[in-house]
Amino acid sequence: RMASRKKKETSEEHLAIISLKKADPAQIRWTEALSHVQRESYHQAIELFQQSGDNSRINFNIGMMYRKLNRYEDAINYFNRSENQDKFCAVAVFMRAECELQLQHNHSAILDYTHTLSFFQKDRAEIDYRQLGLPFVLWKPEVLYNRAVAFCCLQMYHRARDDLVEVQNFKMKRGRDAIVQDLFNFVCTQLRKLPPRAIIQAPAVTRFI
C-alpha cells in the first residue's frame, strides 16, 4: 500500500511539472507572486505581478499589496487601473474608497462607496468573487456601514444614521433605537475590510496547456 501511495504521489508531481512547463510564463510568475504573498514578501510579489501582465485582476492584486504596505496613493493608482480595465469590478472601487478614507479623502470615499452600491442588483445583497478566484463576498450592508463611517468623519451624522438604519434592516436583529448608539461606538474606527491576504488567485495551470 505504501509503495502504491508513493507511486501515485510521484505520478502527480510528474504531471504538475509537465503542466508548469507547458504553462504560460506570465501565469507561472503570477503563481510565484502568490507564494511571496504567503511569505509576506510584498515588494517581491509586486514585481512578479507587474511581470505577469496588465489586466484588471493583476492590477487589483498589486493594489492590495500596496495597501498592505500602507502606500495608499499607490494602491489607489492600481485600483484605478483595475476599474478602468473592468468597469464592473466593484471590489476595486470598494478598496479604493477604503484607501481614500485612510488618507482622509472623505468626500472621495463617499463617492466611491456610493458608486460601489450601484453595482448591486435590486434583489441581491452580495457580489460573490469566489468564482473569479478572489476568496471574498462583497455585501451591500458592509458598503453602507463603511459609507456611514465616512459620513461620521465629516460629522454628517444624519447621513450616517440613514445608512446605519438600512444596515440594521438587513440584520433584523435589534430595534432601530440601537442605531444611534452604534453610530458613536464605531465612528472612524471600525471599517469593514477585505482580509489582508485576499488576492485573486492565478488561473489553473491546466487552462494554459
Side-chain angles (χ1 to χ4, degrees):
R1 182 177 298 178
M2 289 294 295
S4 177
R5 182 181 300 175
K6 289 183 179 179
K7 183 177 180 180
K8 181 180 179 181
E9 291 176 352
T10 302
S11 177
E12 289 176 348
E13 290 176 358
H14 180 66
L15 289 173
I17 292 172
I18 293 175
S19 296
L20 285 172
K21 287 181 178 179
K22 293 182 178 180
D24 186 325
Q27 191 272 343
I28 295 176
R29 286 192 288 272
W30 190 340
T31 302
E32 291 174 350
L34 296 177
S35 67
H36 281 290
V37 174
Q38 295 302 317
R39 295 195 294 270
E40 300 185 3
S41 302
Y42 300 120
H43 290 96
Q44 291 88 335
I46 288 170
E47 291 181 6
L48 286 165
F49 279 131
Q50 290 173 332
Q51 296 170 18
S52 300
D54 182 19
N55 60 50
S56 179
R57 298 184 184 187
I58 290 173
N59 285 323
F60 175 83
N61 283 353
I62 296 173
M64 291 295 289
M65 296 299 94
Y66 279 124
R67 168 204 179 229
K68 183 63 180 176
L69 293 168
N70 297 327
R71 291 173 56 177
Y72 298 114
E73 293 282 5
D74 290 322
I76 288 172
N77 179 40
Y78 277 93
F79 291 136
N80 285 339
R81 294 188 189 187
S82 180
E83 185 204 9
N84 289 337
Q85 293 166 326
D86 181 358
K87 295 298 184 181
F88 298 99
C89 191
V91 70
V93 181
F94 178 75
M95 291 308 306
R96 185 172 66 202
E98 182 199 315
C99 293
E100 288 162 344
L101 270 186
Q102 297 292 341
L103 294 170
Q104 298 183 3
H105 298 168
N106 301 312
H107 288 96
S108 296
I110 289 171
L111 289 175
D112 271 338
Y113 283 131
T114 301
H115 183 28
T116 304
L117 290 170
S118 70
F119 290 100
F120 290 90
Q121 299 178 12
K122 291 183 178 180
D123 58 340
R124 300 293 295 273
E126 76 283 346
I127 302 176
D128 192 342
Y129 286 95
R130 289 174 293 189
Q131 61 183 346
L132 299 178
L134 176 65
F136 180 72
V137 178
L138 180 60
W139 292 93
K140 186 175 182 179
E142 293 179 340
V143 182
L144 288 165
Y145 190 103
N146 282 8
R147 190 172 69 172
V149 173
F151 280 132
C152 285
C153 292
L154 294 172
Q155 298 184 359
M156 299 172 65
Y157 299 117
H158 61 293
R159 298 291 300 276
R161 175 181 164 79
D162 291 342
D163 279 348
L164 285 175
V165 168
E166 192 168 350
V167 170
Q168 197 69 15
N169 287 340
F170 278 102
K171 294 183 176 181
M172 297 297 289
K173 291 182 179 179
R174 294 179 296 163
R176 292 189 179 184
D177 291 342
I179 292 297
V180 175
Q181 186 61 44
D182 284 345
L183 179 61
F184 295 100
N185 285 343
F186 72 67
V187 171
C188 309
T189 60
Q190 299 295 329
L191 283 178
R192 308 298 189 183
K193 303 178 182 180
L194 273 73
R197 296 183 184 179
I199 56 175
I200 299 175
Q201 302 298 305
V205 173
T206 52
R207 295 181 188 177
F208 293 86
I209 292 176

